C-alpha cells in the first residue's frame, strides 16, 4: 500500500509528510498516472451523447490523485530537496509531460469536448461553467489537438525535452547558489555589517566547524553583505559570484539550457501556428499580445527613465562626495543607496529591524486579514509537516468554519531554493455538495533567529511576507466549483494583484501599529519612523521601475522572436539592456543563466506581469484609501469579486465589478511619484 496514493487518514486530509519516503514517489506517480488514464477512458468510452457533465465536468475532476502526488512532490523539490528527489524529478517529469500530451492529443476525447463546445449557446451554462468549457476546449486546441499525427509526435518530444531541461536549469541554479561561500577570518573585513548578519555568519561557520564567519549567496546573507559591507573588494567578490550563477563554463553552466529552452518554446509555438512563444502565451493574458506588452513597457519607461537617470546621477555624486568614487559599479549600488537613504530620511533598516520580529509581523498579517475578511489563524501542532521549521495553522471564518490549512516555512536551509513563493498542497473545489478546503503554503528565506536574537526582518522582507501572504489569501479564500478555476488559477498578469495590494498595508500607520512593536520593549514603532517609511517609499522609484522593466524586456527578447538568431548570451543581453542600463557591464555576469522565473518558473513571456499588476493594485488600493483601509464594504467587494472567484470569469470583468471601472495607470504613476 503506497501511503501517497491511499486515502490520507489525517486531520483535514493533510499530507502525511512524516510517513512518506522518497522511494514511495516513483511508484505513486506510476499508479497516479494509471488512475488518471482510467478516468479519461471512462469519459472516452461513455456511449451516451457528450454533455457538459459527462465530458467537461468529468474531465476537470479527473486526475485528482495524480495532482496531489505532484503538488506534494514538486513542492518538496523546491523547499526540501536532495539528490534523490532531484533524480526522481528527472525521471517523472517526462512521464508527466507524456501523460499531459496523451490527454490533450487524444482525438476521441477532443471530439467529445468539441461536440459540447459547439452546442455552447444552447446549454444554458452559468458564468463559471462557460469559462470552464472555453478553457477545456482551448487546452486542447492551443496544445496540438488539431495537428496531424506526425506533428503531434514532434510536439510530444518537444514537451518532454522542455520539462527535463527546465528542471536541470533549476538544479544548476540551486547547486551554484550553494557552491559559493565567502569565508572571512579577519574581523576588520566585517566593518559596516549589521550585528545580526555577523552573528548569522558566525553560526554558519560554527556549524561547519570553522573559525570566523561564512557568507553565502542566500538572500538573508547576500543582501545585507552587499548593502552594508565597507570592504568594496569583498562586495565585488560577492556580487560577481551572485551574477555568475550558471555562467561559469563549468558542469553547472546553464548557457546551453537557456538556448535549448528558448528554441524549443519557439518551435512549439510555430508548430501550433503562433509567430512566437510570446504570441502563444499572451493570447491567454489580459495583455493579449507582445505588441501591447511592449507598448505598455515603453510608456512606463518613458515616464521612469528621466527620474532614473536623475537618481543615478544623484547617487554617483553622493558616492564621489563620500568616498571620492568616480564610477559606480554594480556592487556599489545597494551600499551607497542605503547610505544616501539614511542621509535623506535618517532611516536605515537596522533602526527598523527591532520593530519587525518575524512572529509579530506574521501575526500582524493574520490580524489584518481578520479585520478585512473576518479570518482567524490558530497555530496547531497535530498536522504533519515536512520540516521542523514549518508552522501550521487552521484558518477559520467568522462562523468558526474551516477556510483553509496554512503552512509557513520561513528560513533558508540546504535543499531549499532562494526567493519566496506561495504554493498549495490541495486545491479548493466543490464536489458532491462538499466544499473541499485548500491547503496553502508560503515559503520564504528570512534571517534565522540566533542565540541572542529572534528573526528580525528588514522592511523589504516585511513587504515580501505580506506579498506572499496576499497570494496565500487568494488561495485560502477560493470559493469555486471546479479545481482548475480555483484560487490562483487566473491569468498570469492578474495573479499578482492579490499579492501586491497586500504590500500597501505595510505603509499605513493604522496597520503598522498592529504589528510593528520593538522586540525587547514592546514599544510601538515611533510615528516619525512610519512617516519616514512612507516618505522613503518612492526613494529611487525611477531606478527600481527601470530595473523591473529591463527584466520584462529581456524576457520578451527571449520569447518574442526566433531565438536561433541569438548566438551569444552576453551579446544578446547587452543589446536587450541598452535602453535601461545604468551601471557598467560586468563581463563575468549574465542574468539569463539564473533567471529562474522565466526558464524554470511560469513567467516566460510574463515577467511584465509584475508591473502590469502594479497598475491594478495601485488603482484598487486607491479605492480602500478613499473609503478607509479597513472599510468592510470595500474589503467584501474585493473578497467576493477578486479573492474568492479564481479564474471563473475574465479578470477585467471581475476587476470592474469590484472597482466600478477599468484600472487607471495614473494611480501607479502618482504612487511612484512619477506623475
Amino acid at each position: 500500500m503506497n501511503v501517497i496514493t491511499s486515502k490520507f487518514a489525517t486531520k483535514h486530509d493533510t499530507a502525511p509528510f512524516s510517513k512518506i519516503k522518497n522511494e514511495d514517489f516513483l511508484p505513486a506517480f506510476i499508479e497516479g498516472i494509471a488512475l488518471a488514464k482510467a478516468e479519461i477512458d471512462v469519459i472516452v468510452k461513455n456511449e451516451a451523447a457528450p454533455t457538459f457533465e459527462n465530458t467537461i465536468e468529468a474531465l476537470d475532476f479527473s486526475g485528482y490523485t495524480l495532482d496531489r502526488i505532484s503538488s506534494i512532490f514538486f513542492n518538496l523539490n523546491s523547499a526540501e530537496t536532495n539528490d534523490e528527489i532531484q533524480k526522481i524529478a528527472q525521471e517523472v517529469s517526462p512521464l508527466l509531460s507524456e501523460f499531459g500530451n496523451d490527454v490533450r492529443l487524444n482525438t476521441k476525447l477532443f471530439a467529445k469536448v468539441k461536440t459540447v463546445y459547439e452546442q455552447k449557446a444552447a446549454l444554458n451554462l452559468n458564468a463559471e461553467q462557460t469559462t470552464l468549457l472555453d478553457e477545456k476546449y482551448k487546452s486542447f486546441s492551443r496544445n496540438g489537438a488539431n495537428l496531424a499525427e506526425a506533428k503531434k509526435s514532434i510536439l510530444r518530444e518537444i514537451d518532454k525535452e522542455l520539462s527535463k531541461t527546465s528542471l536541470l536549469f533549476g538544479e544548476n541554479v540551486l547547486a551554484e547558489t550553494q557552491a559559493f561561500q565567502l569565508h572571512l577570518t579577519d574581523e576588520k573585513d566585517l566593518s559596516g555589517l549589521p550585528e545580526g548578519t555577523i552573528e548569522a555568519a558566525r553560526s554558519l561557520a560554527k556549524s561547519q566547524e570553522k573559525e570566523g564567519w561564512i557568507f553565502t549567496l542566500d538572500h538573508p546573507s547576500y543582501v545585507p553583505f552587499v548593502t552594508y559591507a565597507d570592504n568594496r573588494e569583498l562586495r565585488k567578490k560577492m556580487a560577481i559570484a551572485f551574477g555568475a550563477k550558471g555562467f561559469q563554463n563549468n558542469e553547472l553552466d546553464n548557457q546551453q539550457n537557456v538556448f535549448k529552452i528558448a528554441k524549443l518554446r519557439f518551435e512549439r509555438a510555430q508548430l501550433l501556428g503562433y509567430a512566437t512563444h510570446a504570441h502563444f502565451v499572451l493570447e491567454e493574458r489580459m495583455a493579449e499580445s507582445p505588441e501591447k506588452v511592449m507598448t505598455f513597457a515603453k510608456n512606463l519607461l518613458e515616464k521612469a527613465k528621466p527620474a532614473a537617470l536623475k537618481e543615478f546621477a544623484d547617487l554617483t555624486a553622493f558616492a564621489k562626495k563620500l568616498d571620492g568614487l568616480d564610477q559606480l559599479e554594480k556592487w556599489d549600488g545597494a551600499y551607497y543607496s542605503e547610505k544616501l537613504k539614511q542621509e535623506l530620511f535618517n532611516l536605515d533598516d537596522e533602526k527598523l529591524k527591532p520593530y519587525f520580529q518575524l512572529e509579530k509581523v506574521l501575526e500582524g498579517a493574520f490580524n489584518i486579514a481578520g479585520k478585512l475578511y473576518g479570518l482567524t489563524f490558530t497555530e496547531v501542532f497535530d498536522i504533519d509537516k515536512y520540516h521542523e521549521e514549518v508552522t501550521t495553522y487552521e484558518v477559520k471564518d467568522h462562523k468558526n468554519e474551516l477556510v483553509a490549512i496554512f503552512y509557513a516555512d520561513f528560513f533558508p536551509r540546504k535543499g531549499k531554493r532562494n526567493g519566496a513563493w506561495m504554493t498549495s498542497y490541495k486545491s479548493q473545489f466543490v464536489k458532491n455538495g462538499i466544499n473541499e478546503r485548500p491547503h496553502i503554503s508560503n515559503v520564504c528565506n528570512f534571517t534565522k533567529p540566533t542565540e541572542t536574537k529572534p528573526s528580525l526582518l528588514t522592511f523589504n522582507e516585511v513587504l515580501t511576507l505580506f506579498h506572499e501572504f496576499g497570494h496565500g489569501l487568494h488561495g485560502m479564500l477560493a470559493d469555486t466549483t471546479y479545481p482548475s478555476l480555483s484560487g490562483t488559477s487566473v491569468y498570469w498578469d492578474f495573479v499578482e494583484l492579490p499579492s501586491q495590494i497586500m504590500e500597501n498595508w505595510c505603509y499605513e500607520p493604522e496597520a503598522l501599529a498592529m504589528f510593528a512593536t520593538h522586540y525587547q520593549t514592546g514599544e510601538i514603532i515611533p510615528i516619525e519612523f512610519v512617516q519616514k517609511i512612507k516618505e522613503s517609499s518612492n526613494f529611487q522609484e525611477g531606478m527600481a521601475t527601470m530595473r523591473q522593466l529591463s527584466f520584462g524586456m529581456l524576457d520578451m527578447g527571449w520569447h518574442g522572436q526566433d531565438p536561433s538568431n541569438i548566438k551569444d548570451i552576453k551579446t544578446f543581453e547587452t543589446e536587450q539592456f541598452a535602453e535601461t542600463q545604468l551601471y557598467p557591464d560586468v563581463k563575468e555576469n549574465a542574468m539569463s543563466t539564473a533567471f529562474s522565473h522565466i526558464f524554470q518558473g511560469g513567467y516566460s513571456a510574463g515577467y511584465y506581469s509584475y508591473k502590469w499588476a502594479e497598475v491594478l493594485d495601485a488603482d484598487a488600493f486607491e479605492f480602500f484609501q478613499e473609503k478607509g483601509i479597513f472599510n468592510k464594504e470595500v474589503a467584501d467587494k474585493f473578497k467576493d469579486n477578486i479573492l474568492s472567484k479564481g479564474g471563473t470569469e475574465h479578470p477585467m470583468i471581475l476587476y470592474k465589478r469590484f472597482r466600478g471601472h477599468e484600472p487607471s495607470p495614473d494611480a501607479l504613476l502618482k504612487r511612484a511619484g512619477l506623475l
Side-chain angles (χ1 to χ4, degrees):
M1 256 265 294
N2 193 314
V3 65
I4 325 177
T5 52
S6 315
K7 177 122 185 67
F8 300 159
T10 54
K11 188 177 184 182
H12 304 309
D13 190 32
T14 48
F17 293 110
S18 62
K19 297 192 173 67
I20 300 171
K21 299 183 191 68
N22 285 345
E23 58 267 27
D24 295 331
F25 279 115
L26 192 58
F29 272 111
I30 290 166
E31 190 183 331
I33 289 171
L35 283 169
K37 278 185 169 166
E39 290 171 328
I40 298 293
D41 279 349
V42 170
I43 300 169
V44 171
K45 290 179 176 153
N46 186 346
E47 286 175 9
T51 63
F52 179 81
E53 288 72 22
N54 72 20
T55 304
I56 307 301
E57 225 171 49
L59 190 53
D60 205 57
F61 286 117
S62 71
Y64 177 71
T65 302
L66 180 60
D67 289 343
R68 287 215 70 182
I69 299 163
S70 298
S71 69
I72 291 169
F73 177 77
F74 287 103
N75 284 333
L76 290 178
N77 192 33
S78 292
E80 187 59 15
T81 195
N82 52 46
D83 292 347
E84 210 180 332
I85 285 181
Q86 290 185 350
K87 194 171 163 296
I88 298 164
Q90 287 289 356
E91 280 182 73
V92 301
S93 288
L95 299 180
L96 290 170
S97 150
E98 185 69 14
F99 167 69
N101 279 325
D102 284 345
V103 175
R104 289 188 297 264
L105 303 176
N106 182 323
T107 42
K108 288 178 179 162
L109 182 60
F110 180 50
K112 290 190 167 231
V113 170
K114 200 171 180 176
T115 301
V116 181
Y117 183 73
E118 283 165 352
Q119 299 163 4
K120 185 164 84 170
L123 292 178
N124 199 14
L125 303 174
N126 64 27
E128 184 176 351
Q129 292 169 326
T130 304
T131 302
L132 186 71
L133 178 53
D134 287 344
E135 291 302 314
K136 283 288 174 258
Y137 178 74
K138 281 190 288 199
S139 73
F140 286 87
S141 64
R142 276 171 53 79
N143 287 292
N146 292 314
L147 292 177
E149 284 310 311
K151 286 189 171 174
K152 284 182 181 174
S153 305
I154 298 169
L155 187 73
R156 285 175 181 274
E157 283 313 307
I158 289 175
D159 286 344
K160 227 187 275 186
E161 277 306 301
L162 268 173
S163 73
K164 276 163 51 177
T165 313
S166 56
L167 258 179
L168 182 60
F169 177 96
E171 284 168 16
N172 287 350
V173 174
L174 181 64
E176 287 269 74
T177 305
Q178 292 178 344
F180 176 87
Q181 292 192 332
L182 178 67
H183 183 199
L184 302 179
T185 50
D186 188 342
E187 198 158 346
K188 70 173 194 296
D189 288 336
L190 305 175
S191 168
L193 288 172
E195 197 187 319
T197 306
I198 294 171
E199 202 177 340
R202 177 79 201 95
S203 271
L204 184 59
K206 248 189 194 160
S207 73
Q208 297 184 15
E209 294 172 4
K210 288 178 178 163
E211 282 306 305
W213 304 267
I214 289 176
F215 298 90
T216 69
L217 300 181
D218 285 324
H219 286 244
S221 179
Y222 173 75
V223 174
F225 196 93
V226 292
T227 307
Y228 294 104
D230 292 327
N231 186 321
R232 192 180 186 211
E233 277 309 302
L234 290 176
R235 288 201 313 268
K236 177 178 178 178
K237 194 171 181 178
M238 283 288 271
I240 287 180
F242 191 86
K245 288 179 292 193
F247 190 62
Q248 303 190 68
N249 293 313
N250 56 11
E251 69 285 357
L252 299 172
D253 194 90
N254 263 338
Q255 292 178 77
Q256 288 315 310
N257 292 330
V258 165
F259 283 130
K260 190 172 177 182
I261 292 167
K263 281 180 182 155
L264 287 169
R265 283 173 176 164
F266 176 73
E267 285 167 20
R268 187 181 196 280
Q270 291 257 300
L271 193 65
L272 294 167
Y274 293 87
T276 67
H277 178 67
H279 286 85
F280 170 76
V281 167
L282 291 163
E283 185 180 72
E284 288 291 277
R285 298 285 192 268
M286 290 179 86
E288 296 168 346
S289 71
E291 294 72 31
K292 245 182 152 170
V293 169
M294 291 314 287
T295 305
F296 169 73
K298 289 209 157 79
N299 286 345
L300 260 185
L301 185 58
E302 213 172 282
K303 304 275 194 313
K305 193 168 184 172
L309 293 171
K310 184 185 180 307
E311 290 160 4
F312 191 69
D314 292 347
L315 190 63
T316 304
F318 176 73
K320 171 94 171 156
K321 184 185 81 177
L322 203 63
D323 291 328
L325 232 64
D326 286 319
Q327 175 66 63
L328 276 181
E329 300 287 350
K330 282 190 176 154
W331 43 87
D332 299 318
Y335 180 76
Y336 287 104
S337 290
E338 186 58 35
K339 289 222 175 332
L340 177 58
K341 191 173 172 183
Q342 287 176 36
E343 184 172 290
L344 292 175
F345 305 101
N346 187 22
L347 181 76
D348 84 84
D349 266 328
E350 288 311 301
K351 255 192 219 159
L352 294 176
K353 274 169 85 169
Y355 295 96
F356 295 131
Q357 184 181 336
L358 171 61
E359 293 76 5
K360 297 255 179 65
V361 177
L362 183 62
E363 198 182 318
F366 290 167
N367 289 335
I368 287 167
K371 278 191 91 158
L372 290 168
Y373 310 120
L375 301 175
T376 53
F377 292 75
T378 309
E379 186 172 359
V380 288
F381 301 93
D382 53 356
I383 284 177
D384 214 339
K385 44 203 195 182
Y386 55 87
H387 192 278
E388 62 196 8
E389 287 172 355
V390 177
T391 47
T392 50
Y393 301 85
E394 283 180 347
V395 188
K396 295 192 171 169
D397 62 15
H398 63 288
K399 296 181 199 147
N400 205 31
E401 285 176 2
L402 187 76
V403 171
I405 298 300
F406 181 58
Y407 298 85
D409 177 3
F410 288 139
F411 305 119
R413 55 179 174 263
K414 190 173 168 26
K416 181 178 183 180
R417 67 178 168 89
N418 239 333
W421 60 95
M422 166 269 178
T423 185
S424 83
Y425 285 96
K426 179 185 178 180
S427 296
Q428 176 275 333
F429 57 91
V430 178
K431 196 177 182 192
N432 303 329
I434 295 165
N435 193 330
E436 297 279 352
R437 298 314 301 164
H439 302 170
I440 303 298
S441 171
N442 275 176
V443 189
C444 304
N445 282 277
F446 299 139
T447 309
K448 274 186 168 172
T450 62
E451 285 162 25
T452 63
K453 279 197 184 80
S455 173
L456 300 174
L457 306 184
T458 64
F459 186 67
N460 258 346
E461 289 177 321
V462 174
L463 292 174
T464 298
L465 187 147
F466 270 73
H467 179 102
E468 297 308 332
F469 185 65
H471 282 310
L473 289 172
H474 200 185
M476 289 181 243
L477 288 167
D479 196 15
T480 65
T481 305
Y482 304 112
S484 72
L485 301 178
S486 179
T488 54
S489 304
V490 299
Y491 277 10
W492 212 258
D493 44 11
F494 192 60
V495 81
E496 294 299 332
L497 167 61
S499 54
Q500 287 176 189
I501 196 170
M502 277 309 286
E503 295 178 31
N504 290 284
W505 274 267
C506 301
Y507 295 99
E508 298 294 325
E510 205 184 329
L512 282 165
M514 293 166 68
F515 64 86
T517 54
H518 197 285
Y519 79 101
Q520 285 164 317
T521 65
E523 166 209 15
I524 288 182
I525 192 167
I527 192 68
E528 63 268 24
F529 283 10
V530 176
Q531 279 159 346
K532 285 170 179 169
I533 287 173
K534 269 195 101 93
E535 281 166 23
S536 66
S537 65
N538 287 336
F539 176 64
Q540 296 185 338
E541 186 60 45
M543 280 163 69
T545 299
M546 194 147 97
R547 178 173 178 267
Q548 191 78 331
L549 289 171
S550 75
F551 297 169
M553 286 158 135
L554 177 64
D555 170 29
M556 293 308 284
W558 279 113
H559 296 117
Q561 61 168 323
D562 178 354
S564 55
N565 305 322
I566 306 166
K567 300 293 178 241
D568 177 72
I569 284 181
K570 193 70 194 174
T571 313
F572 174 67
E573 288 192 353
T574 308
E575 289 162 7
Q576 295 303 305
F577 291 144
E579 275 187 86
T580 54
Q581 191 180 339
L582 294 170
Y583 295 94
D585 180 55
V586 181
K587 68 174 193 311
E588 301 92 332
N589 287 182
M591 178 166 180
S592 303
T593 53
F595 199 172
S596 302
H597 268 81
I598 69 168
F599 289 112
Q600 185 198 7
Y603 280 85
S604 63
Y607 201 84
Y608 75 91
S609 305
Y610 284 104
K611 270 289 166 228
W612 183 277
E614 258 185 74
V615 171
L616 300 175
D617 108 64
D619 185 70
F621 192 65
E622 215 171 58
F623 194 17
F624 276 99
Q625 286 172 310
E626 285 162 18
K627 306 271 188 183
I629 63 162
F630 288 111
N631 181 283
K632 202 72 194 94
E633 180 201 347
V634 181
D636 283 348
K637 277 188 124 173
F638 194 72
K639 182 176 120 189
D640 296 344
N641 295 300
I642 309 285
L643 295 177
S644 67
K645 285 284 187 284
T648 54
E649 290 183 75
H650 191 285
M652 194 56 90
I653 293 172
L654 295 175
Y655 188 83
K656 287 198 318 206
R657 210 173 283 152
F658 155 67
R659 189 67 170 100
H661 57 68
E662 289 203 3
S664 150
D666 288 357
L668 171 64
L669 296 169
K670 201 155 62 191
R671 184 176 74 184
L674 297 172
L675 203 59

